Amino acid sequence: MEYVVALTLLVALGAWVVSAYLRLFHLYERVQGAWSRWSDATRHRNECLGDFVQVFAAYLPQGDILPRDMRRWAADSARALVAAPAAPRCGNLANLASAERHLRRVVSHSVHTLETTQTMRDDARLQELSHAVSVALYRQEELAGFYNRSVAEYNTALAAPGGKLLGGLFGFCPAASVR
């Protein structure tokens, strides 16, 4: 009888370990998938910005820094994405976060410039490119929310007692959120 109880406890413990591992693995895969979709949307946004800046710069005085800044921050964002092909671990998102923050600021300024300049508002191609950038920004923001929710759920599972034990045992590490 003692052996049956011990075997039952051992089987229950094994089932718990397998279940906890599979949950962590599933959440980890979800974070990686969400990162991949967000990073694809960010690359697409950067491509849209490149097209937009090319037309936008023609309306600005020679030497205006706004197009240069947009190109620079989009390039920094692209480089940071190449450096992070998988969801980054906590603390490894500083370059990308900085590029994204600065890029949002210059894009906001360029949209304000576009809205307040009559000749820019009359250019159908510029309006079309501006719309493409807006759609790309919206999609990127939507996917950032999904990624951040996935990261929060994964990191919460890692912080649970079973997650702490199995996370260290199987190499699971907390992921960083965007923004």
Side-chain angles (χ1 to χ4, degrees):
M1 186 65 169
E2 298 166 359
Y3 296 110
V4 172
V5 170
L7 184 61
T8 302
L9 289 175
L10 189 60
V11 168
L13 178 63
W16 175 81
V17 167
V18 168
S19 172
Y21 172 81
L22 289 175
R23 175 160 169 69
L24 284 175
F25 185 77
H26 167 73
L27 292 172
Y28 174 79
E29 288 296 311
R30 194 161 99 191
V31 165
Q32 294 304 324
W35 173 261
S36 177
R37 286 190 297 280
W38 180 81
S39 125
D40 288 346
T42 302
R43 283 185 189 89
H44 176 69
R45 188 268 334 257
N46 290 344
E47 291 169 7
C48 290
L49 276 174
D51 297 339
F52 172 76
V53 170
Q54 189 173 5
V55 176
F56 181 73
Y59 284 96
L60 299 175
Q62 186 70 16
D64 194 302
I65 64 168
L66 190 57
R68 183 200 70 200
D69 283 351
M70 274 196 283
R71 284 186 190 104
R72 182 177 134 216
W73 292 115
D76 284 355
S77 171
R79 276 192 297 278
L81 286 173
V82 168
R89 295 178 178 186
C90 285
N92 292 346
L93 204 59
N95 292 340
L96 183 59
S98 174
E100 289 296 312
R101 186 174 48 256
H102 290 292
L103 194 54
R104 288 205 174 271
R105 183 180 49 79
V106 295
V107 167
S108 174
H109 184 68
S110 69
V111 167
H112 175 73
T113 302
L114 179 102
E115 290 173 349
T116 58
T117 308
Q118 185 63 42
T119 55
M120 287 184 187
R121 283 190 308 214
D122 293 341
D123 186 331
R125 176 73 177 140
L126 189 58
Q127 290 297 322
E128 177 185 318
L129 292 170
S130 175
H131 178 71
V133 168
S134 295
V135 168
L137 282 168
Y138 175 78
R139 180 73 176 144
Q140 181 200 24
E141 191 64 33
E142 180 181 56
L143 290 171
F146 176 69
Y147 171 75
N148 286 338
R149 287 187 302 277
S150 297
V151 164
E153 188 176 357
Y154 170 71
N155 288 344
T156 300
L158 274 177
K164 285 181 185 177
L165 175 69
L166 294 176
L169 198 61
F170 292 107
F172 291 104
C173 299
S177 59
V178 291
R179 289 189 241 328

